Amino acid sequence: MKITEIWFDAEYLCGRDEEGREYRQSLLWYPKLRMANDEERGQYTFGLSGIHWRGLDEDISFESFGYEDAEPSAMQRFFLTHKEINVAEFARSMGMNPTLLRNYINGFKKPSEEREQEIMDHIHKLGREMVAA
């Protein structure tokens, strides 16, 4: 697949391939693009295998537009939008390997449904503790 046109909306980077199919990816995956203004977002070039924003030091492959996980899961969304959470300490507090949790958050590995539910349950537990404090 080769993306030939891109645009942004409030939450997504959208693209159209040479056959007219449209795709979108959550900007949560790309914090530099998410925080960029319209002018910065507009300064990109198409390469052989992707799109490059030199001023933002950001690259996105054409291939990534076809990924199944263009939208972060609820667990990923929580950590991607709450950078103030110390992922290593969160993982340790639930007896999990911090590197594994980072891999789940960034989409490098996919947790089982049960494991993702454990993580969400721990998030809710901490939230209840904070409200009770």
Side-chain angles (χ1 to χ4, degrees):
M1 157 194 344
K2 183 172 182 178
I3 299 297
T4 57
E5 179 184 357
I6 64 166
W7 64 95
F8 294 86
D9 67 19
E11 301 282 327
Y12 296 95
L13 164 62
C14 305
R16 183 176 291 115
D17 70 12
E18 62 244 337
E19 295 178 14
R21 289 182 297 245
E22 291 187 3
Y23 302 88
R24 69 182 193 166
Q25 297 187 58
S26 173
L27 286 171
L28 290 175
W29 295 123
Y30 310 105
K32 292 176 187 175
L33 281 172
R34 184 173 178 232
M35 301 307 292
N37 62 40
D38 289 341
E39 182 180 340
E40 292 168 319
R41 288 178 178 180
Q43 296 175 357
Y44 62 88
T45 57
F46 285 109
L48 294 175
S49 61
I51 308 162
H52 177 68
W53 285 263
R54 183 175 184 175
L56 298 172
D57 191 28
E58 185 74 77
D59 294 288
I60 299 178
S61 70
F62 294 140
E63 177 186 22
S64 67
F65 281 86
Y67 290 170
E68 291 179 19
D69 61 350
E71 181 66 35
S73 68
M75 180 268 300
Q76 291 169 317
R77 181 173 285 281
F78 173 79
F79 286 104
L80 292 170
T81 57
H82 292 282
K83 298 292 188 180
E84 70 276 11
I85 302 294
N86 183 316
V87 173
E89 291 304 320
F90 178 92
R92 284 187 194 98
S93 74
M94 64 178 291
M96 179 181 212
N97 180 300
T99 301
L100 181 59
L101 180 56
R102 281 190 198 92
N103 284 331
Y104 289 159
I105 293 166
N106 294 311
F108 302 133
K109 292 190 176 210
K110 185 165 179 59
S112 66
E113 287 183 28
E114 296 81 16
R115 183 59 138 176
E116 188 162 351
Q117 189 59 54
E118 287 175 33
I119 296 166
M120 291 302 295
D121 289 347
H122 196 66
I123 290 168
H124 292 131
K125 176 183 172 249
L126 291 176
R128 286 189 301 274
E129 289 173 4
M130 291 178 78
V131 168

